[in-house]
Amino acid sequence: MKNTAHWQALLNRYFEGDTSISDEKALKAYFSQPNIDPSLIQYKIYFIGVMNSAAEQAPQSFSPPQTKVIQWKVFMAAASVALLIGIGFYQFSNNPLQENAVSSMGNCETPEEAYAQTCKALAMVSKNINKGVESVEYIQEYKNAQDKIYQNN
């Protein structure tokens, strides 16, 4: 049996990474026996753990966990919506034209002026609605022609 100084020197080289495989085998064999120098007993648990972990095997069927792409897509969509809302809020709150438009509302001096402005706004809305109705009437004429064609066949 070798002396304690030899094993201590071998341990120091082991922890510095300067040992060979045969030196490591000698250390494992020394710390697996029951007769160990009392000053080196603290290293026995370490080497028993190293020997036990070397004996462990990974399961035969190992597959890495799949990342959920859907979660990332939902997160990206939510972040995009939040970004767009933030940009819109910033633009709306810092737009000087919007402030002028809001401050000019309700500046009618007389009820007649208010009535005239309301009539003007409603006429504009009516004009746009009439355009939409004309489009629908054109579609209805197309459907009538289509129905006649299908009835003849």
Side-chain angles (χ1 to χ4, degrees):
M1 204 131 240
K2 300 180 182 175
N3 61 7
T4 305
H6 169 74
W7 293 114
Q8 188 64 46
L10 200 55
L11 277 171
N12 289 339
R13 285 186 21 227
Y14 175 79
F15 288 121
E16 290 175 5
D18 293 335
T19 54
S20 64
I21 294 177
S22 62
D23 291 338
E24 291 175 16
K25 284 182 181 177
L27 280 170
K28 288 176 186 177
Y30 175 72
F31 284 107
S32 64
Q33 66 182 354
N35 306 354
I36 297 175
D37 188 81
S39 65
L40 301 176
I41 196 81
Q42 60 194 4
Y43 298 108
K44 182 174 183 168
I45 296 171
Y46 171 76
F47 281 99
I48 290 173
V50 168
M51 288 184 285
N52 289 341
S53 66
E56 290 180 6
Q57 299 258 335
Q60 293 293 340
S61 61
F62 175 77
S63 62
Q66 300 289 329
T67 58
K68 295 187 178 179
V69 177
I70 296 173
Q71 286 181 349
W72 280 104
K73 287 182 180 179
V74 169
F75 176 74
M76 297 284 278
S80 299
V81 169
L83 181 67
L84 289 174
I85 289 172
I87 290 171
F89 180 74
Y90 176 77
Q91 289 294 330
F92 181 73
S93 65
N94 291 331
N95 190 351
L97 295 176
Q98 188 71 12
E99 291 172 8
N100 290 339
V102 171
S103 66
S104 70
M105 287 183 171
N107 288 339
C108 297
E109 299 291 327
T110 63
E112 289 80 19
E113 260 186 80
Y115 179 73
Q117 285 184 358
T118 304
C119 286
K120 187 178 174 181
L122 288 175
M124 184 175 67
V125 170
S126 174
K127 181 181 170 185
N128 289 331
I129 288 176
N130 288 337
K131 284 182 186 177
V133 169
E134 289 172 5
S135 300
V136 171
E137 287 175 0
Y138 177 74
I139 292 172
Q140 186 62 38
E141 288 178 24
Y142 176 75
K143 278 189 128 302
N144 290 339
Q146 186 179 13
D147 290 341
K148 286 180 185 178
I149 292 171
Y150 287 132
Q151 285 177 358
N152 290 337
N153 288 335

